[in-house]
Amino acid sequence: MEKIILVRIILTLNQITSSVHSWNDSAKTNDECREKTNKTYLMFFVILIVMVSMTIIGNIFVIIIISFTSKLRQNTTYVTLLSLAVVDFLVGCITMPYNIKRMYNNRLFCLSKTACKIILIMEPFLSIASMNHLFSIAVERFLSLKLPFQFKLSTSSALFYTWLLSLWVYAFLWSFLGMFKWNKTATFPIEIRGNAISYLSAIYNSKYHVCTRDNKPFFTTVYVVCFCLPIILMGYIYYFVYKTTSRHIRQMSKLELGQLKLRINRSKLRQQKLFTSVFIVFLVYVTCWLPTFVIVLLSFYFQRLLNNFENKEPLFYEILVNTTEVILPPLNSAVNPFIYVISNRKFKNSALSFLNKKFFNRNKVKSSTAPTTISKYPL
């Protein structure tokens, strides 16, 4: 009987000791998350605060204007832009706040395991969905120029909404596939990933403040298929748009007779504005995402090169990595409302009409230009 009591006492003491060590580790973990923010990370923290405000306010404005303007809702391109604005709004509500928190905690992950799972699913899902919408708009314009009589989409068509839904489903499918391991060998050390055998790629470690995926083949495939390939195809599409509009301008120039001259000059101006806006869209797309692809692929297959660069220029390396990883990708979501919609004259007229009607009790918007109908391609 005395031996049993002694064994119970020893077990109780072991449990107390284990609890004390666990409490000490937890306290140490919390202390790391409460450390003062590094000046470099603080700079990115402030930039992200500004960007998240721009993203949420800008995309809410786009959603409201298109939703409450019947002429815009009848246009397939504007409805696609509405769906894109929803994606970018979710980026501002989920992805950007996560990066803000991470910058504030010196790039440490100081959230729960549930938050880690949500981030690992939503981050690739929203990024791919945003790319799908940008690419969809380019494809629609290409087909309409290439097949002006055969290709016709309408907002009353079930095919159009099926296509729009497929953009979201396709993005979620890639995010779902990324939850499972594609690689046979682990790239993270055992003290971070743990020694448990799992078919899932997610890695969460509260001790080391890690929340990531051990899935290099998956990310390589996604970057090539979902990002690099669309960049190449969009480059060809915008080159085709440029050549087509230039040819139309030359053809119309030969018809400048009498009363047609004024209308042809206006048409030229619209064509030039179209190409300018399209070129800006493509340029911003490449600027925001291409540096990220390069850095990520270098980290996968040329890590020694990056390590040497980090040893020689640690501050510049830190700024470069954070800019390409944290700032540039969501920046695309922040500027989309300005590039795609706010810079468009038809949208601005609709926005002014809506604001005057709702806040200034005016039914008409004074404009120096004659009223125009909504064209199929607002850019």
Side-chain angles (χ1 to χ4, degrees), residues 298-363:
L298 285 176
S299 66
F300 284 164
Y301 301 102
F302 301 94
Q303 184 62 50
R304 183 177 298 178
L305 179 65
L306 291 180
N307 291 338
N308 294 334
F309 178 66
E310 182 181 9
N311 294 331
K312 293 179 180 179
E313 299 288 343
L315 180 60
F316 184 73
Y317 173 83
E318 192 173 15
I319 294 175
L320 176 65
V321 170
N322 284 296
T323 301
T324 56
E325 179 184 343
V326 178
I327 300 297
L328 288 181
L331 180 63
N332 190 241
S333 298
V335 300
N336 276 342
F338 301 94
I339 297 176
Y340 277 85
V341 185
I342 295 179
S343 62
N344 177 259
R345 180 171 54 86
K346 296 181 180 66
F347 178 85
K348 285 194 290 187
N349 289 341
S350 299
L352 289 173
S353 177
F354 174 82
L355 294 175
N356 277 281
K357 188 182 297 184
K358 294 295 182 182
F359 298 101
F360 303 103
N361 295 322
R362 298 174 185 172
N363 295 324

Side-chain angles (χ1 to χ4, degrees), residues 188-309:
F188 287 86
I190 191 170
E191 54 268 15
I192 293 180
R193 59 182 169 84
N195 55 5
I197 299 175
S198 175
Y199 295 101
L200 300 178
S201 62
I203 295 178
Y204 172 78
N205 192 309
S206 59
K207 181 179 179 181
Y208 293 96
H209 307 288
V210 173
C211 173
T212 185
R213 284 181 176 180
D214 187 8
N215 217 346
K216 184 168 71 173
F218 165 75
F219 284 111
T220 303
T221 306
V222 165
Y223 285 133
V224 172
V225 175
C226 298
F227 297 104
C228 294
L229 186 60
I231 284 179
I232 297 173
L233 294 177
M234 287 171 71
Y236 170 75
I237 288 172
Y238 293 147
Y239 172 75
F240 174 81
V241 169
Y242 169 73
K243 296 293 288 185
T244 304
T245 53
S246 298
R247 186 175 67 252
H248 289 171
I249 290 174
R250 288 194 302 269
Q251 291 173 350
M252 288 186 295
S253 297
K254 298 177 182 179
L255 300 174
E256 290 187 5
L257 299 173
Q259 298 295 327
L260 291 176
K261 186 173 182 179
L262 180 61
R263 284 184 292 175
I264 290 174
N265 288 335
R266 289 177 179 175
S267 179
K268 283 183 180 180
L269 183 61
R270 286 197 298 268
Q271 296 283 5
Q272 290 170 356
K273 289 182 176 179
L274 171 64
F275 173 72
T276 302
S277 61
V278 167
F279 177 75
I280 292 174
V281 167
F282 177 66
L283 186 62
V284 172
Y285 179 93
V286 174
T287 303
C288 288
W289 284 100
L290 191 57
T292 304
F293 308 149
V294 173
I295 293 296
V296 170
L297 293 178
L298 285 176
S299 66
F300 284 164
Y301 301 102
F302 301 94
Q303 184 62 50
R304 183 177 298 178
L305 179 65
L306 291 180
N307 291 338
N308 294 334
F309 178 66

Side-chain angles (χ1 to χ4, degrees), residues 33 50 61 87 114 122 193 196 202 207 219 291 310 335:
C33 288
V50 176
F61 182 74
V87 175
T114 302
M122 295 301 294
R193 59 182 169 84
K207 181 179 179 181
F219 284 111
E310 182 181 9
V335 300

Side-chain angles (χ1 to χ4, degrees), residues 17 20 29 58 71 101-102 121 125 310 321 335 358 373:
T17 303
V20 169
T29 296
K71 289 183 179 180
K101 173 66 174 173
R102 199 155 62 100
I121 293 174
F125 168 63
E310 182 181 9
V321 170
V335 300
K358 294 295 182 182
T373 57

Side-chain angles (χ1 to χ4, degrees), residues 54-69 72-73 77-89 333-343 347 350-351 354:
M54 289 174 52
T55 303
I56 292 176
I57 295 173
N59 286 287
I60 285 179
F61 182 74
V62 172
I63 292 170
I64 291 175
I65 297 301
I66 297 180
S67 299
F68 287 90
T69 305
L72 299 183
R73 292 199 311 270
T77 303
Y78 279 107
V79 175
T80 306
L81 292 175
L82 172 62
S83 182
L84 172 63
V86 174
V87 175
D88 292 334
F89 172 76
S333 298
V335 300
N336 276 342
F338 301 94
I339 297 176
Y340 277 85
V341 185
I342 295 179
S343 62
F347 178 85
S350 299
F354 174 82

